[in-house]
Amino acid sequence: MIGSVFSRIAGYGRTITVTDEQGNAVTCRGFLQCADTMAEGGIGNFQAPGVWETARYLLLAAPEAVAPGHTAETVSCGSVTYEVLGLQPVWCGETLTHWEGVLRKKEAGT
């Protein structure tokens, strides 16, 4: 039952692609939300991901987003690519339920 926690809400998320350090890509479901909403009076809550150039974004991703032993480097959603600033697995006992991380919109050409 615990393993299916994320699958219960995944249908509400967006399609994302997580690319690791070796260039392997996994397409799954995830959620992106601007994490810098307080600095702008909360307006980030109403903006689509990728709108703010300097914002950091909170990511919730499916358990299969990152293969064991690999490190996520970028996350793509739509036409926007984000660099991973930090990504941690979330466990319930011995079951990986999902990944949580912080992203930054990648500059063009980097």
Side-chain angles (χ1 to χ4, degrees):
M1 180 172 144
I2 295 297
S4 66
V5 169
F6 193 87
S7 65
R8 290 187 223 160
I9 63 169
Y12 299 102
R14 298 169 181 248
T15 300
I16 63 170
T17 302
V18 180
T19 305
D20 68 20
E21 74 283 0
Q22 295 177 347
N24 302 316
V26 173
T27 299
C28 60
R29 301 296 279 185
F31 297 86
L32 286 169
Q33 172 63 47
C34 184
D36 292 334
T37 57
M38 297 307 288
E40 299 295 328
I43 195 164
N45 290 323
F46 306 104
Q47 301 292 326
V51 172
W52 294 357
E53 295 296 328
T54 59
R56 288 172 294 170
Y57 294 87
L58 173 64
L59 170 72
L60 300 178
E64 65 270 16
V66 181
H70 290 267
T71 303
E73 294 287 326
T74 63
V75 174
S76 298
C77 182
S79 62
V80 181
T81 300
Y82 304 87
E83 73 176 297
V84 176
L85 300 178
L87 189 64
Q88 293 293 318
V90 177
W91 298 88
C92 183
E94 295 181 11
T95 303
L96 174 63
T97 61
H98 65 284
W99 292 86
E100 292 183 1
V102 177
L103 311 175
R104 178 176 49 208
K105 188 174 176 184
K106 214 170 169 184
E107 298 292 327
T110 61

